[in-house]
Amino acid sequence: MPGVCDVAKNISRRYPWVSSPCIVSAPMRVMSGPALAVAVSHAGGLGFIGPGVKTQDMLADLEEATALVNKMRTSSSIFNALSAAEYPLPIGVGFQLWSDDLEVAVAAVEKFRPCAAWLYAPREGRKDFDAWSLRIRNAWPRIQVWIQIGTLAEAKELLKCSERPDVIVIQGAEAGGHGRAKDGLGLLSLFPEVADALAGSNIPLFAAGGIADARGASAAICLGASGVVMGTRFLAAHEARINPGYQREIVRASDGAVTTTRTLLYNQLRGTTGWPEEYSPRTIINKSFIEHQGGRSFEELKKLHDEALKAGDSGWGPEGRLATYAGASIGLIHEVKDAATIVQDVRKGVLQRLSYLQEHKL
Protein backbone atom coordinates (compact mmCIF):
# COMPACT_ATOMS: atom_id res chain seq x y z
CA MET A 1 0.00 0.00 0.00
CA PRO A 2 2.27 2.82 -1.25
CA GLY A 3 0.00 5.62 -0.11
CA VAL A 4 -0.20 4.32 3.45
CA CYS A 5 3.59 3.80 3.54
CA ASP A 6 4.23 7.34 2.30
CA VAL A 7 2.01 8.80 5.01
CA ALA A 8 3.76 6.68 7.66
CA LYS A 9 7.12 8.04 6.46
CA ASN A 10 5.76 11.57 6.75
CA ILE A 11 4.78 10.91 10.38
CA SER A 12 8.34 9.70 11.08
CA ARG A 13 9.81 12.85 9.54
CA ARG A 14 7.50 15.12 11.52
CA TYR A 15 8.07 13.30 14.82
CA PRO A 16 11.48 11.60 14.57
CA TRP A 17 11.37 10.21 18.13
CA VAL A 18 8.16 8.27 17.39
CA SER A 19 8.35 4.53 16.74
CA SER A 20 5.91 2.77 14.43
CA PRO A 21 3.07 2.18 14.92
CA CYS A 22 2.46 5.63 16.38
CA ILE A 23 0.70 5.43 19.76
CA VAL A 24 -0.87 8.71 20.93
CA SER A 25 -2.26 9.65 24.32
CA ALA A 26 -5.37 11.79 23.90
CA PRO A 27 -5.49 15.32 25.36
CA MET A 28 -8.00 14.49 28.08
CA ARG A 29 -9.11 17.60 29.93
CA VAL A 30 -7.13 18.14 33.15
CA MET A 31 -6.17 14.46 33.48
CA SER A 32 -3.59 14.50 30.68
CA GLY A 33 -0.91 16.52 32.40
CA PRO A 34 2.82 17.07 31.75
CA ALA A 35 4.00 13.83 33.38
CA LEU A 36 1.74 11.68 31.21
CA ALA A 37 2.40 13.54 27.94
CA VAL A 38 6.19 13.52 28.37
CA ALA A 39 6.23 9.85 29.44
CA VAL A 40 4.31 8.80 26.32
CA SER A 41 6.58 10.76 23.97
CA HIS A 42 9.67 9.51 25.77
CA ALA A 43 8.46 5.94 25.16
CA GLY A 44 8.38 6.61 21.41
CA GLY A 45 4.75 7.70 21.20
CA LEU A 46 3.22 11.15 21.08
CA GLY A 47 1.77 12.56 24.28
CA PHE A 48 -0.68 15.46 24.50
CA ILE A 49 -1.41 17.76 27.41
CA GLY A 50 -5.16 18.25 27.74
CA PRO A 51 -7.07 21.51 28.19
CA GLY A 52 -7.22 22.88 31.70
CA VAL A 53 -10.17 24.31 33.58
CA LYS A 54 -8.93 27.64 32.19
CA THR A 55 -6.70 28.14 29.16
CA GLN A 56 -4.16 29.88 31.42
CA ASP A 57 -3.63 26.54 33.21
CA MET A 58 -1.83 25.35 30.08
CA LEU A 59 1.04 27.75 30.77
CA ALA A 60 2.07 26.06 34.02
CA ASP A 61 1.69 22.64 32.41
CA LEU A 62 3.92 23.60 29.49
CA GLU A 63 6.49 25.08 31.86
CA GLU A 64 6.59 21.78 33.78
CA ALA A 65 6.73 19.72 30.59
CA THR A 66 9.62 21.79 29.28
CA ALA A 67 11.55 21.21 32.50
CA LEU A 68 10.94 17.46 32.29
CA VAL A 69 12.10 17.29 28.67
CA ASN A 70 15.20 19.43 29.32
CA LYS A 71 16.15 17.19 32.22
CA MET A 72 15.85 14.16 29.97
CA ARG A 73 18.01 15.80 27.29
CA THR A 74 20.94 15.79 29.72
CA SER A 75 20.70 12.05 30.34
CA SER A 76 20.56 8.97 28.15
CA SER A 77 17.27 9.65 26.43
CA ILE A 78 15.38 9.36 23.18
CA PHE A 79 15.22 13.17 23.25
CA ASN A 80 19.02 13.53 23.06
CA ALA A 81 19.06 13.15 19.29
CA LEU A 82 16.50 15.90 18.79
CA SER A 83 17.60 19.40 17.94
CA ALA A 84 16.32 21.68 20.69
CA ALA A 85 15.87 24.41 18.08
CA GLU A 86 13.76 22.26 15.76
CA TYR A 87 11.91 20.26 18.46
CA PRO A 88 11.86 22.36 21.63
CA LEU A 89 8.93 20.44 23.08
CA PRO A 90 8.20 16.96 21.66
CA ILE A 91 4.66 16.80 23.00
CA GLY A 92 1.35 18.25 21.83
CA VAL A 93 -1.32 20.40 23.45
CA GLY A 94 -5.09 20.15 23.15
CA PHE A 95 -7.66 22.93 22.96
CA GLN A 96 -11.47 22.92 23.22
CA LEU A 97 -12.28 25.69 20.80
CA TRP A 98 -15.70 26.57 22.21
CA SER A 99 -14.26 27.38 25.64
CA ASP A 100 -10.54 28.08 25.30
CA ASP A 101 -9.08 31.55 24.82
CA LEU A 102 -7.35 31.88 21.44
CA GLU A 103 -5.06 34.71 22.54
CA VAL A 104 -3.79 32.75 25.55
CA ALA A 105 -3.40 29.63 23.40
CA VAL A 106 -1.35 31.49 20.78
CA ALA A 107 0.90 33.01 23.45
CA ALA A 108 1.49 29.55 24.95
CA VAL A 109 2.37 28.04 21.57
CA GLU A 110 4.71 30.92 20.72
CA LYS A 111 6.56 30.67 24.02
CA PHE A 112 6.85 26.90 24.49
CA ARG A 113 6.66 25.65 20.88
CA PRO A 114 5.00 22.24 21.28
CA CYS A 115 5.16 19.95 18.26
CA ALA A 116 1.40 19.69 17.75
CA ALA A 117 -1.88 21.40 18.60
CA TRP A 118 -5.06 19.31 18.79
CA LEU A 119 -8.21 21.30 17.98
CA TYR A 120 -11.65 20.07 18.92
CA ALA A 121 -15.26 21.07 19.45
CA PRO A 122 -15.60 24.41 17.64
CA ARG A 123 -18.75 26.44 18.07
CA GLU A 124 -18.65 27.67 14.47
CA GLY A 125 -17.15 24.71 12.67
CA ARG A 126 -14.81 25.42 9.77
CA LYS A 127 -14.59 29.13 10.59
CA ASP A 128 -13.14 28.39 14.03
CA PHE A 129 -10.77 25.72 12.72
CA ASP A 130 -9.38 28.14 10.12
CA ALA A 131 -8.96 30.97 12.63
CA TRP A 132 -7.21 28.83 15.24
CA SER A 133 -5.03 27.00 12.71
CA LEU A 134 -3.79 30.21 11.09
CA ARG A 135 -2.96 31.94 14.37
CA ILE A 136 -1.23 28.91 15.84
CA ARG A 137 0.86 28.31 12.73
CA ASN A 138 1.91 31.94 12.68
CA ALA A 139 2.99 31.64 16.31
CA TRP A 140 5.15 28.54 15.63
CA PRO A 141 5.53 27.57 11.95
CA ARG A 142 6.83 24.06 12.72
CA ILE A 143 3.75 23.09 14.69
CA GLN A 144 1.42 20.43 13.30
CA VAL A 145 -2.33 21.04 13.55
CA TRP A 146 -4.42 18.01 14.51
CA ILE A 147 -8.21 18.20 14.21
CA GLN A 148 -10.57 15.70 15.77
CA ILE A 149 -13.86 14.86 14.08
CA GLY A 150 -16.56 12.26 14.68
CA THR A 151 -18.72 12.32 11.56
CA LEU A 152 -18.40 12.05 7.81
CA ALA A 153 -19.92 15.52 7.38
CA GLU A 154 -17.21 17.07 9.57
CA ALA A 155 -14.52 15.31 7.55
CA LYS A 156 -15.87 16.69 4.27
CA GLU A 157 -15.98 20.19 5.78
CA LEU A 158 -12.27 19.99 6.59
CA LEU A 159 -11.50 19.67 2.89
CA LYS A 160 -13.03 23.13 2.44
CA CYS A 161 -10.81 24.73 5.09
CA SER A 162 -8.41 27.39 3.91
CA GLU A 163 -6.07 26.04 6.62
CA ARG A 164 -6.09 22.29 6.13
CA PRO A 165 -5.08 20.14 9.10
CA ASP A 166 -1.82 18.23 9.17
CA VAL A 167 -3.50 15.27 10.87
CA ILE A 168 -7.16 14.26 11.26
CA VAL A 169 -8.27 12.18 14.24
CA ILE A 170 -11.38 10.11 13.51
CA GLN A 171 -13.18 9.38 16.77
CA GLY A 172 -15.69 6.54 16.97
CA ALA A 173 -18.77 6.65 19.17
CA GLU A 174 -17.15 4.18 21.61
CA ALA A 175 -14.92 6.97 22.94
CA GLY A 176 -15.16 8.37 26.43
CA GLY A 177 -15.53 12.02 27.31
CA HIS A 178 -17.39 14.36 24.99
CA GLY A 179 -18.26 12.91 21.59
CA ARG A 180 -21.01 13.16 19.05
CA ALA A 181 -24.33 12.69 20.81
CA LYS A 182 -26.76 11.72 18.04
CA ASP A 183 -24.82 11.34 14.81
CA GLY A 184 -21.80 9.40 16.06
CA LEU A 185 -20.89 6.04 14.56
CA GLY A 186 -18.71 3.12 15.65
CA LEU A 187 -15.08 3.36 14.54
CA LEU A 188 -15.16 0.17 12.44
CA SER A 189 -17.69 1.70 10.03
CA LEU A 190 -16.82 5.37 10.45
CA PHE A 191 -13.10 5.20 9.76
CA PRO A 192 -13.15 3.59 6.29
CA GLU A 193 -16.00 5.81 5.10
CA VAL A 194 -14.14 8.93 6.18
CA ALA A 195 -10.93 7.57 4.67
CA ASP A 196 -12.70 7.10 1.35
CA ALA A 197 -14.01 10.67 1.48
CA LEU A 198 -10.51 12.00 2.19
CA ALA A 199 -8.73 9.80 -0.35
CA GLY A 200 -6.09 11.79 -2.23
CA SER A 201 -5.77 14.47 0.46
CA ASN A 202 -2.54 12.88 1.80
CA ILE A 203 -3.59 13.86 5.31
CA PRO A 204 -2.61 11.22 7.91
CA LEU A 205 -5.65 9.72 9.64
CA PHE A 206 -5.50 8.55 13.25
CA ALA A 207 -8.11 6.28 14.82
CA ALA A 208 -9.65 6.94 18.24
CA GLY A 209 -12.51 5.52 20.27
CA GLY A 210 -12.68 2.11 21.94
CA ILE A 211 -8.98 1.29 21.49
CA ALA A 212 -7.38 0.03 24.69
CA ASP A 213 -4.98 -2.73 23.67
CA ALA A 214 -2.98 -4.17 20.80
CA ARG A 215 -6.01 -5.92 19.31
CA GLY A 216 -7.93 -2.71 18.82
CA ALA A 217 -4.82 -0.88 17.65
CA SER A 218 -4.06 -3.63 15.11
CA ALA A 219 -7.60 -3.44 13.77
CA ALA A 220 -7.27 0.33 13.33
CA ILE A 221 -3.97 -0.07 11.48
CA CYS A 222 -5.60 -2.64 9.20
CA LEU A 223 -8.36 -0.10 8.49
CA GLY A 224 -5.63 2.19 7.18
CA ALA A 225 -4.91 4.36 10.21
CA SER A 226 -1.50 6.04 10.38
CA GLY A 227 -1.59 5.62 14.14
CA VAL A 228 -3.94 5.17 17.08
CA VAL A 229 -5.14 7.37 19.90
CA MET A 230 -5.99 6.04 23.35
CA GLY A 231 -7.66 8.05 26.08
CA THR A 232 -9.36 5.81 28.62
CA ARG A 233 -6.43 3.37 28.67
CA PHE A 234 -4.14 6.17 29.83
CA LEU A 235 -6.51 7.07 32.66
CA ALA A 236 -5.10 3.90 34.18
CA ALA A 237 -1.50 5.12 33.86
CA HIS A 238 0.54 5.97 36.94
CA GLU A 239 1.33 9.37 35.43
CA ALA A 240 -2.30 10.37 34.84
CA ARG A 241 -3.49 13.39 36.80
CA ILE A 242 -6.48 11.60 38.27
CA ASN A 243 -8.12 10.96 41.63
CA PRO A 244 -7.34 7.44 42.95
CA GLY A 245 -11.05 6.70 43.37
CA TYR A 246 -11.71 7.62 39.74
CA GLN A 247 -8.77 5.52 38.55
CA ARG A 248 -9.87 2.47 40.54
CA GLU A 249 -13.27 2.72 38.90
CA ILE A 250 -11.65 2.63 35.45
CA VAL A 251 -9.96 -0.64 36.41
CA ARG A 252 -13.02 -2.11 38.18
CA ALA A 253 -15.72 -1.43 35.61
CA SER A 254 -16.48 -3.80 32.75
CA ASP A 255 -19.08 -4.42 30.05
CA GLY A 256 -19.03 -0.93 28.64
CA ALA A 257 -22.25 -1.46 26.68
CA VAL A 258 -24.14 -1.80 29.97
CA THR A 259 -22.10 0.22 32.43
CA THR A 260 -21.47 3.36 30.35
CA THR A 261 -23.84 5.80 28.71
CA ARG A 262 -23.91 9.20 27.07
CA THR A 263 -25.65 11.75 29.23
CA LEU A 264 -25.48 15.46 30.05
CA LEU A 265 -26.53 14.82 33.65
CA TYR A 266 -23.01 14.92 35.09
CA ASN A 267 -22.18 18.11 33.20
CA GLN A 268 -25.24 19.69 34.80
CA LEU A 269 -24.37 18.40 38.26
CA ARG A 270 -20.83 19.74 37.92
CA GLY A 271 -21.97 23.06 36.47
CA THR A 272 -20.08 22.41 33.23
CA THR A 273 -22.19 24.18 30.65
CA GLY A 274 -21.65 25.69 27.23
CA TRP A 275 -20.68 22.67 25.15
CA PRO A 276 -22.08 22.81 21.58
CA GLU A 277 -25.29 20.82 21.52
CA GLU A 278 -23.94 18.09 19.24
CA TYR A 279 -21.61 16.82 22.01
CA SER A 280 -22.40 14.64 24.99
CA PRO A 281 -20.00 12.77 27.31
CA ARG A 282 -19.77 9.02 27.83
CA THR A 283 -19.52 8.15 31.50
CA ILE A 284 -19.60 5.15 33.81
CA ILE A 285 -23.05 4.83 35.36
CA ASN A 286 -23.41 5.30 39.11
CA LYS A 287 -26.14 6.25 41.59
CA SER A 288 -26.60 9.76 40.21
CA PHE A 289 -27.68 8.44 36.82
CA ILE A 290 -29.70 5.52 38.16
CA GLU A 291 -31.69 7.75 40.51
CA HIS A 292 -32.12 10.37 37.81
CA GLN A 293 -33.63 7.70 35.58
CA GLY A 294 -35.82 6.69 38.49
CA GLY A 295 -37.28 10.17 38.77
CA ARG A 296 -35.34 11.73 41.64
CA SER A 297 -35.34 15.51 41.38
CA PHE A 298 -32.31 17.34 40.07
CA GLU A 299 -32.19 19.47 43.22
CA GLU A 300 -31.80 16.37 45.39
CA LEU A 301 -29.25 14.85 43.05
CA LYS A 302 -27.24 18.06 43.02
CA LYS A 303 -27.16 18.20 46.81
CA LEU A 304 -26.02 14.58 47.06
CA HIS A 305 -23.45 15.14 44.29
CA ASP A 306 -21.94 18.11 46.09
CA GLU A 307 -21.76 16.12 49.32
CA ALA A 308 -19.97 13.34 47.44
CA LEU A 309 -17.37 15.87 46.27
CA LYS A 310 -16.29 16.17 49.90
CA ALA A 311 -16.21 12.41 50.48
CA GLY A 312 -12.92 11.65 48.74
CA ASP A 313 -12.48 8.40 46.87
CA SER A 314 -15.93 7.10 47.78
CA GLY A 315 -17.42 9.72 45.48
CA TRP A 316 -16.66 7.35 42.60
CA GLY A 317 -17.78 3.78 42.02
CA PRO A 318 -21.21 2.09 41.69
CA GLU A 319 -22.38 3.72 44.92
CA GLY A 320 -20.74 7.02 44.07
CA ARG A 321 -22.22 10.09 42.44
CA LEU A 322 -19.38 11.88 40.67
CA ALA A 323 -18.74 12.06 36.93
CA THR A 324 -16.52 9.22 35.72
CA TYR A 325 -15.99 9.99 32.04
CA ALA A 326 -14.65 6.90 30.26
CA GLY A 327 -14.96 4.99 27.02
CA ALA A 328 -16.73 1.75 26.22
CA SER A 329 -13.36 -0.07 26.32
CA ILE A 330 -13.24 -0.11 30.13
CA GLY A 331 -13.70 -3.89 30.23
CA LEU A 332 -10.28 -4.27 28.57
CA ILE A 333 -8.41 -2.35 31.28
CA HIS A 334 -7.43 -4.49 34.25
CA GLU A 335 -4.54 -2.73 35.97
CA VAL A 336 -2.68 0.54 36.35
CA LYS A 337 0.64 0.62 34.51
CA ASP A 338 3.39 3.10 33.68
CA ALA A 339 2.60 5.05 30.52
CA ALA A 340 5.76 3.74 28.86
CA THR A 341 4.69 0.15 29.53
CA ILE A 342 1.28 0.82 27.99
CA VAL A 343 2.88 2.28 24.85
CA GLN A 344 5.43 -0.54 24.55
CA ASP A 345 2.91 -3.33 25.18
CA VAL A 346 0.52 -2.02 22.53
CA ARG A 347 3.27 -1.43 19.99
CA LYS A 348 4.77 -4.89 20.54
CA GLY A 349 1.37 -6.55 20.26
CA VAL A 350 0.55 -4.74 17.02
CA LEU A 351 3.87 -5.65 15.42
CA GLN A 352 3.43 -9.30 16.41
CA ARG A 353 -0.04 -9.46 14.91
CA LEU A 354 0.90 -7.72 11.70
CA SER A 355 3.99 -9.92 11.32
CA TYR A 356 1.79 -13.00 11.73
CA LEU A 357 -0.54 -11.77 8.99
CA GLN A 358 2.40 -11.16 6.65
CA GLU A 359 4.03 -14.53 7.36
CA HIS A 360 0.80 -16.41 6.74
CA LYS A 361 -0.26 -14.15 3.85
CA LEU A 362 -3.63 -13.55 5.49
Side-chain angles (χ1 to χ4, degrees):
M1 296 190 299
V4 174
C5 292
D6 290 343
V7 171
K9 290 177 182 177
N10 286 337
I11 292 293
S12 297
R13 284 195 289 268
R14 293 169 180 178
Y15 313 109
W17 66 91
V18 169
S19 299
S20 183
C22 183
I23 310 298
V24 177
S25 62
M28 297 173 288
R29 185 173 182 265
V30 177
M31 290 178 282
S32 294
L36 178 59
V38 171
V40 170
S41 287
H42 191 248
L46 178 54
F48 278 83
I49 290 177
V53 175
K54 296 181 179 179
T55 316
Q56 287 87 346
D57 298 341
M58 179 72 70
L59 300 174
D61 281 348
L62 287 170
E63 191 80 57
E64 181 180 342
T66 299
L68 289 171
V69 169
N70 288 341
K71 183 178 180 180
M72 290 175 177
R73 288 190 199 274
T74 63
S75 60
S76 176
S77 165
I78 193 172
F79 296 151
N80 277 350
L82 300 179
S83 162
E86 288 186 282
Y87 304 99
L89 194 54
I91 63 168
V93 293
F95 298 106
Q96 290 177 175
L97 304 199
W98 71 268
S99 61
D100 273 318
D101 185 306
L102 177 56
E103 299 304 324
V104 176
V106 167
V109 166
E110 185 173 27
K111 179 178 180 180
F112 295 101
R113 301 188 170 185
C115 68
W118 179 308
L119 310 182
Y120 177 54
R123 194 170 295 285
E124 298 189 52
R126 177 161 42 105
K127 178 181 176 182
D128 285 349
F129 282 140
D130 277 336
W132 277 72
S133 298
L134 179 61
R135 293 289 307 281
I136 284 173
R137 283 171 171 152
N138 285 340
W140 173 224
R142 290 187 61 86
I143 201 167
Q144 298 284 302
V145 174
W146 292 46
I147 291 181
Q148 178 185 324
I149 53 94
T151 67
L152 179 62
E154 287 179 290
K156 290 180 176 178
E157 275 294 296
L158 291 183
L159 293 179
K160 301 175 186 177
C161 285
S162 60
E163 293 286 328
R164 284 200 178 184
D166 297 293
V167 173
I168 296 174
V169 180
I170 303 169
Q171 185 194 62
E174 305 92 335
H178 287 74
R180 304 295 294 201
K182 296 179 181 179
D183 54 359
L185 187 65
L187 185 65
L188 192 63
S189 297
L190 177 65
F191 190 97
E193 189 170 10
V194 170
D196 286 348
L198 298 177
S201 69
N202 292 320
I203 300 174
L205 306 179
F206 277 62
I211 301 171
D213 61 17
R215 292 169 294 182
S218 298
I221 298 299
C222 288
L223 287 175
S226 299
V228 298
V229 178
M230 298 190 297
T232 303
R233 182 62 191 92
F234 284 109
L235 290 179
H238 287 296
E239 296 88 346
R241 191 160 53 188
I242 186 174
N243 185 284
Y246 192 145
Q247 191 171 67
R248 283 197 290 271
E249 183 64 356
I250 297 297
V251 174
R252 181 206 66 80
S254 62
D255 196 356
V258 175
T259 58
T260 72
T261 189
R262 287 204 180 276
T263 176
L264 291 172
L265 173 65
Y266 295 92
N267 279 17
Q268 295 160 352
L269 291 172
R270 297 170 68 236
T272 304
T273 59
W275 274 89
E277 62 181 11
E278 57 265 35
Y279 298 98
S280 178
R282 181 179 294 280
T283 182
I284 298 174
I285 293 170
N286 59 22
K287 289 187 74 173
S288 288
F289 182 78
I290 292 171
E291 292 179 1
H292 172 68
Q293 293 293 96
R296 193 161 196 171
S297 73
F298 179 81
E299 290 72 21
E300 290 180 288
L301 292 173
K302 173 65 173 169
K303 179 181 178 182
L304 292 167
H305 171 273
D306 292 349
E307 290 173 356
L309 278 174
K310 305 173 185 177
D313 290 346
S314 64
W316 288 272
E319 299 301 309
R321 296 184 174 278
L322 303 182
T324 316
Y325 300 134
S329 63
I330 50 170
L332 304 175
I333 301 168
H334 308 298
E335 61 180 313
V336 179
K337 296 181 179 181
D338 292 336
T341 301
I342 294 172
V343 172
Q344 292 158 4
D345 285 351
V346 172
R347 180 184 297 124
K348 181 180 178 181
V350 170
L351 294 175
Q352 288 175 339
R353 283 167 172 79
L354 296 184
S355 294
Y356 178 86
L357 292 176
Q358 285 184 325
E359 288 172 10
H360 294 79
K361 298 182 180 179
L362 297 176

